[in-house]
Amino acid sequence: MMDCIFCKIVAGQIPALKIYENDHVLSFLDIGPLADGHLLVIPKKHYSRLDEMSGDEVAAVTRVLPELADAVVRATGAQGYNVLQNNGRVAGQLVAHVHFHIIPRMADDGLGYRWNAKKYPAGKDQQLQQQIIAELK
Ligand code: 5GP
Ligand code: ZN
């Protein structure tokens, strides 16, 4: 995907501050960090959304998350971190190449956390349960 900024980083056509790399995965500092040490972890192969990838391909990316998160926490002194992975513009995805964010968190870092939980109307949860199960292959 030649118009993809992350593919260009993988190809070495534009610079990035790389943290880790293997045959399948590249990790580098986010250019617009929400916190010091904010990392991106991407598959080297182009996929727009997580559901386009096989389980094995996702596993090859996610298996490096614990070690990278541990390194970021140690390097920054963060008290916690969020792992975030957005799919689709409506979900906040701006770069259409699958990526996992590792965002270090500190108390009072001002980032906040919005989790506006709602309640299902009667029967809607069971209906969704059946609909989703029916879509599993
Ligand atoms: P999204 O909103 O798609 O989940 O996140 C995209 C992320 O990619 C943003 O946090 C943004 O700062 C980062 N980003 C966009 N362009 C570049 C770039 O050229 N280099 C790096 N290192 N990060 C980028
Ligand atoms: Zn790409």
Side-chain angles (χ1 to χ4, degrees):
M1 281 280 290
M2 269 5 272
D3 60 344
C4 170
I5 199 143
F6 287 177
C7 282
K8 286 183 177 161
I9 288 174
V10 170
Q13 290 166 354
I14 62 169
L17 294 175
K18 294 182 182 178
I19 299 291
Y20 173 83
E21 161 164 41
N22 67 27
D23 286 350
H24 307 286
V25 182
L26 178 64
S27 176
F28 49 94
L29 286 175
D30 193 305
I31 204 169
L34 294 182
D36 286 353
H38 181 164
L39 289 187
L40 298 173
V41 187
I42 70 169
K44 286 189 168 177
K45 197 169 163 196
H46 182 89
Y47 296 97
S48 299
R49 295 162 70 120
L50 193 71
D51 52 276
E52 294 167 9
M53 300 175 69
S54 71
D56 283 347
E57 286 164 328
V58 174
V61 179
T62 55
R63 69 189 294 278
V64 305
L65 292 178
E67 194 175 350
L68 287 170
D70 183 54
V72 172
V73 163
R74 288 171 186 273
T76 63
Q79 297 160 327
Y81 55 91
N82 293 110
V83 173
L84 182 65
Q85 200 275 317
N86 301 325
N87 296 276
R89 190 56 69 97
V90 73
Q93 184 182 18
L94 297 179
V95 176
H97 181 129
V98 166
H99 52 280
F100 290 80
H101 297 262
I102 301 177
I103 305 164
R105 298 300 303 264
M106 296 289 272
D108 306 321
D109 60 15
L111 285 178
Y113 196 74
R114 213 154 28 110
W115 191 271
N116 297 332
K118 59 176 192 168
K119 275 200 163 67
Y120 284 117
K124 178 81 174 175
D125 46 359
Q126 284 99 340
Q127 183 192 335
L128 279 164
Q129 177 194 24
Q130 294 310 317
Q131 286 172 329
I132 297 166
I133 289 172
E135 294 295 341
L136 286 173
K137 291 167 185 101

